Amino acid sequence: MGSSPAEPFRHIARMEFEAALEALSRRFGRFHLVTLSLICMTYVFQALFYLSYVFTTLRSEHRCHIPECDQELSEMQPSWLPMAVPLADGLPDPCRRFVALPGLDSCSAEAFSNLTQDCTQWVYPNKELSIMTEWDLTPCATGGDWQLTMVGTMNNVGRVLGLPLSGYLSDRYGRKTILLASLAVSGVIGIVRSVSPNYIFYIVLEFVDPMFYDGMGSSALVMGMEVLPSTARGMWSVASHVVFALGQALLGAVAWALPYWRWLLRALYSSALLTLPVLWLFLPESMRWLVSKGRVRDAQNIIRKAAKMNRSESTCQINFDKVELSGVTKESDGSADAKPDISTELMALLRSRILAFRLFNCCFAW
């Protein structure tokens, strides 16, 4: 099959672009500092979102609620507790209580029999700490911790489904577009999750949320790689993981300051929504993606702006204008290359033993 008429112009545009990007990368300047700082913000939010379920499902100390004795502000170890609750392994049983005798409306040893029954309500040091304390998801009520551990399972299943989807969409619609869309949608989902009326509503959103936010990491990594020279890309990969770890540490600090799961989610996700205007205004689109889509003029404008910020005006001397754009920038005129099928690209990847081994090794390590 012969090449399309636009192919020579695409090749020239890419050569000019690579030359300009190489000149821009020779000096780390304000453009790189601003761009990488904004990208790091998305890494922080990804870390905050990812492990938030650790704190929204926190296990808590608990004991049986005894209506005959408990007041509005109940203590965890009141003096009457041994009279109302049997011992289990030397400690008050969190799942059983003594049966109250009928006709005795008092909190005394005479008000309880030696028979026991299952508890139906529980007392916690902080009723709003997590979904366990608010919805009584104790091991006594559920027969184990499976409802709490299911939250983490659904979160990771959502990540598995979301990563390939975000990769495909970012190639189609742009790295910046998908990154900001993922942040916006995830922010809204997080706010809605903070007002969940029940466990089912909560866990459904816990599954949907990572399908959006986890794609931010892959888009951010690629965008950072593209603005740096090849010699610095390994360091950027290391730095991105350090930033992610710092985001997890920040999550612990926020959770310590806000020991209320609903307000914790609101603080994390609303802060992400507040940063959207900043990212929209100052984070540039991937220049390599723009060129790959024939939008050479847009890539040219970003490089010139970057060169001005870095005070390396010589980069702007690259003559993009000599590239004939009539057959490159218009995707709707039918002159652009036919888009390769995803299955064709995947088969080409698997035919290479080295690339196939790297793919499976990365999947195994991840």
Side-chain angles (χ1 to χ4, degrees):
M1 182 181 294
S3 60
S4 68
E7 183 60 30
F9 300 115
R10 285 182 180 275
H11 183 64
I12 296 172
R14 287 167 183 161
M15 291 177 62
E16 293 292 321
F17 166 75
E18 292 294 342
L21 196 58
E22 178 64 25
L24 180 67
S25 301
R26 290 173 188 161
R27 176 183 177 185
F28 188 91
R30 194 158 61 96
F31 169 78
H32 296 92
L33 181 61
V34 171
T35 301
L36 295 179
S37 297
L38 293 174
I39 292 175
C40 285
M41 289 175 59
T42 64
Y43 273 117
V44 172
F45 285 122
Q46 184 191 20
L48 295 176
F49 297 169
Y50 171 40
L51 287 184
S52 62
Y53 74 86
V54 172
F55 296 96
T56 59
T57 60
L58 274 177
R59 279 69 167 170
S60 173
E61 176 190 2
H62 57 281
R63 67 166 177 83
C64 275
H65 173 72
I66 310 298
E68 296 82 4
C69 300
D70 273 310
Q71 304 298 322
E72 183 175 352
L73 298 177
S74 300
E75 301 176 15
M76 290 303 299
Q77 297 292 336
S79 58
W80 49 260
L81 189 61
M83 299 184 298
V85 175
L87 296 179
D89 298 327
L91 297 174
D93 194 328
C95 299
R96 311 264 317 162
R97 55 157 294 181
F98 290 123
V99 177
L101 295 175
L104 294 178
D105 188 15
S106 64
C107 184
S108 62
E110 294 76 16
F112 300 95
S113 70
N114 292 328
L115 301 177
T116 61
Q117 65 183 39
D118 292 333
C119 301
T120 57
Q121 291 180 296
W122 289 265
V123 176
Y124 309 91
N126 179 3
K127 181 66 174 176
E128 300 177 351
L129 175 66
S130 66
I131 64 173
M132 171 196 168
T133 59
E134 182 163 334
W135 295 328
D136 283 338
L137 301 179
T138 65
C140 309
T142 62
D145 284 343
W146 68 269
Q147 284 186 307
L148 298 178
T149 56
M150 182 61 70
V151 174
T153 300
M154 297 304 293
N155 179 285
N156 283 279
V157 171
R159 295 183 68 202
V160 171
L161 297 177
L163 274 173
L165 179 63
S166 64
Y168 169 75
L169 293 177
S170 63
D171 284 342
R172 184 176 180 86
Y173 299 107
R175 318 276 189 238
K176 175 183 176 181
T177 301
I178 297 304
L179 188 150
L180 296 185
S182 299
L183 188 63
V185 174
S186 187
V188 172
I189 291 175
I191 297 297
V192 175
R193 186 151 51 97
S194 72
V195 296
S196 298
N198 53 55
Y199 175 79
I200 298 298
F201 189 92
Y202 174 89
I203 201 169
V204 169
L205 293 184
E206 185 70 55
F207 166 73
V208 176
D209 189 15
M211 295 180 66
F212 291 94
Y213 75 67
D214 214 47
M216 296 190 303
S218 57
S219 296
L221 179 65
V222 173
M223 293 178 70
M225 293 285 190
E226 290 178 348
V227 299
L228 292 171
S230 58
T231 55
R233 290 173 186 171
M235 185 59 67
W236 165 245
S237 178
V238 173
S240 64
H241 286 80
V242 171
V243 172
F244 187 85
L246 292 176
Q248 293 177 325
L250 176 62
L251 172 61
V254 177
W256 174 79
L258 283 175
Y260 311 100
W261 75 272
R262 294 185 186 272
W263 284 106
L264 174 64
L265 291 180
R266 291 164 190 165
L268 299 179
Y269 286 87
S270 61
S271 61
L273 293 176
L274 292 175
T275 63
L276 279 174
V278 177
L279 294 172
W280 176 261
L281 290 174
F282 300 106
L283 182 65
E285 179 56 275
S286 164
M287 291 174 280
R288 294 183 186 276
W289 180 84
L290 290 172
V291 171
S292 71
K293 295 299 180 181
R295 295 169 56 181
V296 183
R297 186 82 66 184
D298 293 334
Q300 172 191 11
N301 293 335
I302 294 176
I303 289 182
R304 284 180 171 166
K305 178 181 178 181
K308 186 176 181 180
M309 291 179 65
N310 285 358
R311 297 180 181 178
S312 54
E313 302 292 343
S314 59
T315 306
C316 295
Q317 295 176 6
I318 300 295
N319 188 9
F320 279 88
D321 297 327
K322 74 181 182 180
V323 180
E324 180 64 46
L325 298 176
S326 59
V328 178
T329 57
K330 298 179 181 179
E331 296 183 0
S332 60
D333 61 1
S335 61
D337 298 339
K339 295 180 180 178
D341 184 69
I342 295 179
S343 60
T344 303
E345 293 183 338
L346 181 59
M347 291 304 299
L349 170 65
L350 296 178
R351 287 193 191 100
S352 171
R353 292 184 178 180
I354 296 177
L355 293 179
F357 174 76
R358 289 179 179 177
L359 172 64
F360 289 115
N361 186 40
C362 288
C363 292
F364 175 77
W366 185 258

